[in-house]
């Protein structure tokens, strides 16, 4: 969703919508009202924060979201870029101010979803675990990387090591260190080296991905 650029202040405060209800996206999914409610309540109860990231990169936080809430339109977010401590955040702030950046995108995990009752081939996302809201160049999210790997596998091919690692982190919820370890172990198989012999667990994992 585009940011309301009038809500980008000189001190780094930004405001906008990370998700809008009722909008069918390019993956044939629509977020329903109430999808974020429990996730926001649980995060507040546990003292957890919804991360503000750059381009969905876990290693590049650029600020903090100070307020998140559902309203009649969607998921409203308000936060502050860390312009005083992060050169990247300062750069992002400048690009937002001049209009070169104007997108927000959410990173989440689906907890409850059903076929839409009136729209064929559309999935209603009824409950989501909100993980982060990113400032992005294009309205892409974690699912875009997951979908790209699914398409590679559906075509009868295997992803690159980096694509596989991103898939493990985004779709499987693995930590960076564990995803890297699995990807390294799978490297010969992903490269198609004929002498590679997967152990039973890895073989089952790769077969499950293909399925």
């Amino acid at each position: 969703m585009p940011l309301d650029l009038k809500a980008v202040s000189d001190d780094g405060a930004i405001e906008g919508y990370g998700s809008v209800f009722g909008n069918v996206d390019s993956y044939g999914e629509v977020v329903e009202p109430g999808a974020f409610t429990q996730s926001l309540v649980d995060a507040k109860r546990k003292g957890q924060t919804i991360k503000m990231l750059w381009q969905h990169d876990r290693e590049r936080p650029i600020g903090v979201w100070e307020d998140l809430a559902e309203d009649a339109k969607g998921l409203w977010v308000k936060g502050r870029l860390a312009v005083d401590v992060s050169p990247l955040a300062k750069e992002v702030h400048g690009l937002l101010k001049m209009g070169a950046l104007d997108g927000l995108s959410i990173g989440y995990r689906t907890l409850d979803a059903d076929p839409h009752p009136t729209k064929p081939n559309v999935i209603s996302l009824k409950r989501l675990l909100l993980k982060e809201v990113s400032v992005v160049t294009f309205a892409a999210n974690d699912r875009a990387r997951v979908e790209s790997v699914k398409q590679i596998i559906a075509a009868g091919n295997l992803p690159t090591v980096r694509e596989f690692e991103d898939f493990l982190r985004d779709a499987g919820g693995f930590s960076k260190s564990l995803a890297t370890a699995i990807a390294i172990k799978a490297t010969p198989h992903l490269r198609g080296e004929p002498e590679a012999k997967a152990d039973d667990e890895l073989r089952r994992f790769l077969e499950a991905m293909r399925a």
Side-chain angles (χ1 to χ4, degrees), residues 21-64:
F21 300 138
N23 177 53
V24 180
D25 65 19
S26 59
Y27 302 108
E29 297 176 336
V30 57
V31 179
E32 301 293 347
F36 302 102
T37 302
Q38 191 60 52
S39 183
L40 295 176
V41 169
D42 289 344
K44 186 173 183 180
R45 177 174 56 83
K46 296 176 183 178
Q48 298 173 341
T49 59
I50 306 301
K51 307 304 181 185
M52 180 193 294
L53 304 180
W54 168 241
Q55 307 284 15
H56 297 295
D57 190 334
R58 292 175 173 83
E59 297 182 4
R60 292 196 287 179
I62 54 173
V64 293

Side-chain angles (χ1 to χ4, degrees), residues 67-130:
D67 198 3
L68 302 93
E70 282 196 18
D71 60 19
K73 182 176 180 179
L75 177 67
W76 171 81
V77 295
K78 183 178 181 180
R80 190 173 304 277
L81 292 158
V83 294
D84 294 331
V85 297
S86 168
L88 175 59
K90 186 173 183 179
E91 179 181 348
V92 170
H93 179 247
L95 292 170
L96 285 167
K97 291 286 288 183
M98 70 184 298
L101 291 175
D102 62 358
L104 286 179
S105 180
I106 59 173
Y108 62 91
R109 184 173 298 166
T110 302
L111 299 179
D112 187 14
D114 287 312
H116 196 280
T118 61
K119 298 176 181 178
N121 302 316
V122 172
I123 299 298
S124 292
L125 302 179
K126 301 167 66 176
R127 189 160 67 94
L128 302 176
L129 174 61
L130 182 64

Side-chain angles (χ1 to χ4, degrees), residues 143-207:
R143 293 187 61 82
R145 287 202 295 262
V146 172
E147 287 298 324
S148 68
V149 172
K150 287 181 180 177
Q151 291 167 9
I152 291 170
I153 296 170
N157 301 312
L158 285 172
T160 66
V161 176
R162 179 58 184 271
E163 288 169 336
F164 184 55
E165 182 179 335
D166 286 342
F167 178 87
L168 291 171
R169 295 174 66 189
D170 296 334
F174 291 95
S175 67
K176 176 175 172 55
S177 59
L178 186 54
T180 300
I182 296 173
I184 289 173
K185 190 173 184 180
T187 295
H189 314 284
L190 297 176
R191 290 177 177 172
E193 297 177 10
E195 67 276 11
K197 294 183 179 180
D199 59 36
D200 289 341
E201 290 186 4
L202 181 56
R203 184 181 296 108
R204 286 195 297 269
F205 191 88
L206 292 174
E207 289 175 351

